[in-house]
Every structure is written in structure tokens, then in C-alpha cells.
Amino acid sequence: MGDDASVATAAPLPRDAFAHRLLLGSAKKSYDPVVDIDWNAPLDPDKLFLPPEVISLYGTPLWEAMSPEQRRELSRQELASVLSVGIWFENLLNRLLLRELMNGDPTSRHSHYTLTEMGDECRHMMMFGKLIDRIEARPYWPNRYERLVISSLQLFLRGSMVWVGALVGEEIFDAIQRRTLDDAELQPIVARAMRIHVTEEARHIGFARDALARRAPDMSAAERAYTRMCVAIAAPLFVHLMTNWHMYVRAGIEDGRGARRMARSNPAARRALGIGAANLGAFLDKQGLIGPIGKRIWQRRGLL
């Protein structure tokens, strides 16, 4: 009786206090994309599906030679590809979070927010799938090698790397989405879906940053070295998956692989990704989780 009373009246842990704030935020402002998006709203035949400056070929000779109709089609296919990557990533993240719950205290606010985030991610995957269908596109799938890598990540992303992996996928994707908000030149249904995702993803990013910042000071030398190695690889892998050569072919570009090479070396596309990765890079550097090799790799990919 005494032990139970002391537990019941004990002040919440700082970690649980932060999770409790996130739970209250989720209760006040969360969305159900099935009813919070007008899926029957017509698409505007003249509007793009992504802002020009975040489209991978923007500013290249190939882009300059495209008609407005071709640019619109490329933006449609590129949005479908970005959403597909988002679905794979959130699928993987939920598997990692579920594994964390197996070792966590089911009565803690931290575990309760983990479950809340998983519910958000399930709705986001459905929202992305419905949006791909609504814009009359098809999803993009990783090739066999990429599927093997993605599936094997859950074997290697443990401890601090769960949160690093979460931040790599969430923060770079989030920065791209923020460029779509309130843009009068974009399809309204796309802007609405991205606003929903940005609102809920802000809590997810805060949750992952808090977990990683609490863990970083107590890392062993081995864990820090392993985390640095994974950080060096994770962001370039995510960027690699963002440019699928099939999307260029579906957009009417015959040499899809050539277009992908052009996109990956495109200074404008590298700047757009660099903006998305800047805050993440600064945060990881502050935690001592980007080593010299990682910095060189990120800089080579335009992420720093």
C-alpha cells in the first residue's frame, strides 16, 4: 500500500512531463484526414503539385525546355514519389517505435505519447496513399536492393539510432512540406494535406529531439562512434531514395536515368535539400553526433 501510494503521488519524470505536454497538444489539435480533407474537391488543371523550387530538375536545361504542361506532370509524379518515400519511412518508424514499447513502461506518459505518434503515422500513411490516388498517380516502390536495405534498417537502428533515423526522415521531409503551405500556385488539396502533416510532425520532431538530447550525454564511446557512422549514412540514403528514375519516365522524359543524374547534381535541388537539413545538422552537431567523416559526406551531398 505504501509503495503504491508513493508511486501514485511521485512527481512525473522530466521526460514524462515533456511527453505529457505533447499528449495535451495532440488532444487539442489532431486531424483525421478522411474527414478533414475534401477528397472530392476538383484538381486545378493549371496548378502544380509541388513548388517549382523544390522540384528536382528546377533550374536545369531540361526544366527550362519543358512546357507548363510538362512541368505540371513532373510535379505530379514527383509528389507521388515523395509521398511514397514518406509511406515507407513511416512504416519503418512505426516498427521501430513498437519495438521500443516492448521494453518500455506501459504506464508512462512517454509510452502513451509513443502510441499516439504511431496512431498519427498510421493516419499519415493513409493520407499519403489517398493523395496519390486522388492526383491519379501510382505509388513508387523501391527496387530489390533498396527494399533489402530499408527492411534491414530495423536490425541496425537501435537505441539512439531510432531517434536519429526518425529525425532524418521527419526533418528533411518537413522542410520540403513547409514550402508548400499557403502557396496560391499549388493544388489546394496538396497544401491542406501538407499542413496537417506539418502540424502533427512538429510534435514528433520535438519528441525525437528530446529523447536524443537526453541520451547523448550518457552515450558510451562505442555507441557514439556507431551513431556517428549511421548519421553519416542515413541522410545520404534518404536523399538517394527521393530521386527515383521511374518518375521521370512517367513524366514523359525518355532518359529517366539521365534525368536522375542531372537532378542529383542540380545546384538548385541541393540547395533545397540543404535548407531542409540545416537545422537537423546543427542539432546533431550540438549533440556531438556528426563526426568529421559524416560532415564531409553531408557537405558532398549538399546537406551542410
Side-chain angles (χ1 to χ4, degrees):
M1 176 69 175
D3 290 343
D4 289 344
S6 64
V7 170
T9 59
L13 295 171
R15 185 181 78 159
D16 264 14
F18 182 75
H20 184 62
R21 274 176 40 204
L22 295 176
L23 284 166
L24 292 177
S26 297
K28 290 177 182 176
K29 197 163 190 179
S30 290
Y31 298 90
D32 181 349
V34 172
V35 297
D36 288 321
I37 295 177
D38 182 1
W39 296 105
N40 295 318
L43 299 177
D44 190 312
D46 298 319
K47 290 186 175 180
L48 296 174
F49 294 84
L50 285 171
E53 61 271 17
V54 304
I55 296 174
S56 59
L57 291 176
Y58 177 72
T60 65
L62 191 53
W63 173 265
E64 297 301 330
M66 288 181 175
S67 67
E69 292 76 17
Q70 290 171 321
R71 291 177 179 179
R72 181 180 183 274
E73 179 58 19
L74 176 59
S75 75
R76 186 171 76 97
Q77 296 299 337
E78 195 144 339
L79 174 62
S81 178
V82 168
L83 294 172
S84 296
V85 173
I87 291 170
W88 314 335
F89 168 75
E90 296 194 339
N91 185 312
L92 173 63
L93 178 57
N94 265 7
R95 282 184 275 174
L96 297 176
L97 292 176
L98 188 61
R99 189 182 64 205
E100 291 291 301
L101 282 170
M102 292 292 290
N103 300 314
D105 175 2
T107 69
S108 72
R109 300 296 181 268
H110 183 84
S111 292
H112 295 169
Y113 185 74
T114 300
L115 288 164
T116 300
E117 178 169 339
M118 290 175 63
D120 290 344
E121 302 295 22
C122 287
R123 289 189 297 275
H124 294 168
M125 286 187 277
M126 180 176 63
M127 179 172 69
F128 291 167
K130 285 179 71 67
L131 187 54
I132 292 171
D133 182 59
R134 180 64 192 89
I135 66 174
E136 299 177 345
R138 288 176 289 150
Y140 288 85
W141 300 106
N143 60 36
R144 289 181 185 177
Y145 169 73
E146 291 167 344
R147 280 199 300 271
L148 179 63
V149 171
I150 293 168
S151 296
S152 66
L153 284 176
Q154 60 187 316
L155 302 176
F156 301 101
L157 298 183
R158 294 179 177 276
S160 59
M161 277 312 303
V162 171
W163 308 113
V164 169
L167 289 172
V168 166
E170 289 174 339
E171 294 215 27
I172 296 176
F173 193 47
D174 185 70
I176 294 173
Q177 292 175 115
R178 288 180 182 275
R179 309 279 288 274
T180 71
L181 302 181
D182 303 322
D183 189 329
E185 299 304 312
L186 291 184
Q187 299 289 344
I189 195 172
V190 175
R192 176 61 175 164
M194 294 303 106
R195 178 164 291 284
I196 288 173
H197 196 246
V198 162
T199 299
E200 297 183 334
E201 208 72 359
R203 294 191 291 265
H204 302 175
I205 290 170
F207 189 55
R209 281 193 174 209
D210 180 74
L212 190 58
R214 291 177 191 277
R215 188 179 181 102
D218 299 322
M219 285 182 184
S220 66
E223 182 181 5
R224 188 173 297 277
Y226 178 70
T227 303
R228 283 182 168 189
M229 179 188 71
C230 292
V231 165
I233 297 169
L237 173 62
F238 187 80
V239 171
H240 171 83
L241 293 172
M242 295 289 281
T243 47
N244 187 321
W245 67 269
H246 294 283
M247 72 184 181
Y248 302 112
V249 174
R250 290 189 195 175
I253 300 170
E254 290 186 9
D255 184 5
R257 287 186 170 87
R260 181 176 64 182
R261 287 194 297 272
M262 187 179 295
R264 287 180 176 172
S265 63
N266 179 14
R270 290 166 70 89
R271 279 195 300 273
L273 288 170
I275 291 170
N279 287 337
L280 173 60
F283 172 75
L284 292 174
D285 193 29
K286 183 179 178 181
Q287 306 304 321
L289 299 178
I290 298 186
I293 295 175
K295 286 182 179 179
R296 285 200 296 272
I297 293 173
W298 278 46
Q299 286 168 348
R300 198 175 304 134
R301 293 299 182 97
L303 298 173
L304 285 178

